[in-house]
Amino acid sequence: QVQLVESGGGLVQPGGPLRLSCVASGITFRVYAMGWYRQAPGKQRELVAEIAEMNSGGFTKYADSVKGRFTISRDNAKNTVVLQMNSLKPEDTAVYYCNADRRDGVSLNFWGQGTQVTVSS
């Protein structure tokens, strides 16, 4: 059974940091591209950051709105992907979802249950 379990969400003041973690089980973690998406009320789910599978060099990609503030990383030994969020803004408020996407000819995609991030004073 595949599980992606997010943790680390919560309430933070503007300008503050927050660290989200996602632990994967039931998949061969290293062959999956891992991503963080978010969905704010009334808006579509959007990609925040992703990190490629190790065979593709583990390159990273970020939404323009978070470049320079957020950092995605992965630990293949611990089946974990982390999103370090700094200088948070109220517009970063959303439910954040972990995603695992296999792109090597085997099309598989999995989602976590989401974790709420609220940036407010």
Side-chain angles (χ1 to χ4, degrees):
Q1 182 182 0
V2 177
Q3 282 191 309
L4 302 178
V5 180
E6 301 105 333
S7 61
L11 173 65
V12 62
Q13 291 189 340
L18 207 58
R19 184 175 183 268
L20 304 183
S21 295
C22 171
V23 180
S25 59
I27 61 172
T28 304
F29 183 77
R30 67 182 185 279
V31 304
Y32 282 78
M34 299 300 298
W36 286 96
Y37 290 72
R38 67 186 180 188
Q39 188 166 19
K43 295 188 177 181
Q44 288 189 332
R45 191 173 297 190
E46 63 174 357
L47 174 68
V48 176
E50 69 174 17
I51 183 166
E53 64 275 21
M54 296 316 295
N55 284 346
S56 295
F59 69 86
T60 58
K61 182 170 75 174
Y62 297 92
D64 287 343
S65 59
V66 307
K67 282 181 181 176
R69 299 189 296 123
F70 291 11
T71 302
I72 189 171
S73 61
R74 65 189 296 160
D75 185 337
N76 291 324
K78 296 181 179 179
N79 287 8
T80 299
V81 59
V82 171
L83 184 68
Q84 178 65 45
M85 306 185 293
N86 297 325
S87 303
L88 281 160
K89 303 176 181 180
E91 51 263 43
D92 295 317
T93 295
V95 178
Y96 283 69
Y97 297 90
C98 179
N99 177 265
D101 189 32
R102 188 165 179 175
R103 304 167 179 174
D104 59 354
V106 179
S107 181
L108 290 171
N109 190 278
F110 302 101
W111 291 92
Q113 81 286 353
T115 185
Q116 176 70 46
V117 171
T118 302
V119 184
S120 174
S121 55

